[in-house]
Amino acid sequence: MTGVLTIVGLGPGDARHRTPAATEAIADAEAVYGYSAYIEVCDDILRPDQFVVRGRMTEERLRAEQAVDDAAAGRRVVLVSSGDAGVYGMATLALSKASEIEETVRPEVRVLPGVTAALAASALVGAPLAHDFACLTLSDLLTPWEEVERRLRAVADADLAIALYNPRSKGRPWQLDRARQVLLERRAPATPVALVADIARDGQRVELTTLADLDCDKVGMTTTVLVGSSTTRRFGDWLVTPRSAAGKGAARGGADDQDSADRAAADRTAADRTVAERGAG
């Protein structure tokens, strides 16, 4: 009899941002796999009788394979990831491994959502991602830098707000500054930028700056960098991107944009129906 593998996103750090579904899955598991730092984040839920694997960095594929195999053997297994497991997380590795197992003996696999860094960072500085936005990783460990740069230019040309993951590390000190240069080719120097580090953890730091004044030396691996679009504005400690692409109604009261769009669509449908009925008569 096969078991169940639940892939869990723990959120940005603090247990208050962890979903009840994630907490329930971890508490019910017979085995818990994860990077050691992420295991520590959910240590308050773990039981002494659980089989816990505290993995190391760069062992992601091995952890995913072990978790899938353990579930296939009949255990209730949880594989933990930071943020949302489907956003630069463990879900893709585990699902790929599970797909290789014959369906009749494949364990049930569930993916539980979590609060990803882009959304947690955005909430701390207001609403910079309130309209269309893109998430990009600056790590070139799995994607060639040429492709990263191509995507940066495409997103900049589309005038989307951007959340940059894995912006800088000791082994990758230059990519963020290069990304800044690429964005400055297409964005105004005064474009608002937020640096949010160690979200929902001890030492959380938030700094608002601009694309021109961005100091890359202040950014580390635990920092999420948010870059505004051409319509993003700073109001004191807030960054706000209007929900209208034209920038109208950026921070004013009144009817909700989506409600207005829904009403307009309904009006068009009613008008079309009236025309059709008259034609039929």
Side-chain angles (χ1 to χ4, degrees):
M1 184 177 67
T2 60
V4 178
L5 172 62
T6 305
I7 308 166
V8 170
L10 294 172
D14 193 290
R16 291 174 299 175
H17 300 307
R18 188 172 61 214
T19 68
T23 298
E24 181 180 342
I26 296 168
D28 183 59
E30 295 173 286
V32 180
Y33 290 77
Y35 174 48
S36 59
Y38 304 153
I39 293 292
E40 292 301 318
V41 171
C42 61
D43 188 61
D44 58 307
I45 315 172
L46 300 178
R47 305 188 313 272
D49 63 306
Q50 287 175 314
F51 178 70
V52 179
V53 176
R54 302 170 187 268
R56 296 180 294 184
M57 192 69 76
T58 75
E59 294 180 342
E60 291 83 2
R61 186 174 298 278
L62 174 63
R63 277 198 299 280
E65 292 174 352
Q66 290 175 333
V68 171
D69 289 342
D70 206 358
R75 269 179 165 171
R76 295 189 308 278
V77 178
V78 162
L79 176 62
V80 298
S81 189
S82 67
D84 183 286
V87 181
Y88 307 119
M90 295 295 294
T92 185
L93 291 173
L95 290 168
S96 297
K97 169 63 177 177
S99 70
E100 298 172 359
I101 300 175
E102 184 181 343
E103 191 170 356
T104 56
V105 293
R106 183 187 305 157
E108 177 186 348
V109 180
R110 302 182 299 162
V111 182
L112 300 183
V115 179
T116 189
L119 303 185
S122 176
L124 287 171
V125 298
L129 306 182
H131 197 50
D132 295 338
F133 69 93
C135 295
L136 293 176
T137 174
L138 295 188
S139 173
D140 58 356
L141 296 178
L142 299 175
T143 304
W145 179 254
E146 293 76 14
E147 179 63 16
V148 174
E149 209 168 291
R150 186 191 69 79
R151 293 176 184 181
L152 270 172
R153 287 194 169 89
V155 169
D157 284 340
D159 195 23
L160 303 178
I162 309 169
L164 296 176
Y165 284 66
N166 308 312
R168 195 169 184 268
S169 67
K170 291 182 179 178
R172 298 182 295 99
W174 58 270
Q175 281 91 336
L176 178 59
D177 191 53
R178 177 57 188 157
R180 173 180 165 274
Q181 294 170 20
V182 169
L183 292 174
L184 280 170
E185 295 171 4
R186 292 159 166 80
R187 297 276 168 101
T191 299
V193 172
L195 308 178
V196 188
D198 298 307
I199 302 169
R201 302 175 188 170
D202 292 339
Q204 174 180 287
R205 302 182 307 283
V206 177
E207 179 178 336
L208 301 184
T209 183
T210 65
L211 203 52
D213 295 333
L214 171 58
D215 183 353
C216 297
D217 289 336
K218 293 183 177 180
V219 175
M221 193 64 182
T222 61
T223 305
T224 301
V225 179
L226 304 179
V227 181
S229 69
S230 65
T231 62
T232 304
R233 297 292 180 264
R234 179 172 177 176
F235 301 114
D237 292 334
W238 299 340
L239 297 186
V240 178
T241 300
R243 291 177 57 185
S244 164
K248 297 178 181 178
R252 68 169 185 255
D256 180 270
D257 295 342
Q258 188 60 50
D259 288 346
S260 298
D262 291 344
R263 284 196 295 272
D267 290 344
R268 287 194 298 271
T269 300
D272 291 344
R273 185 182 299 114
T274 299
V275 170
E277 291 171 350
R278 287 175 178 172

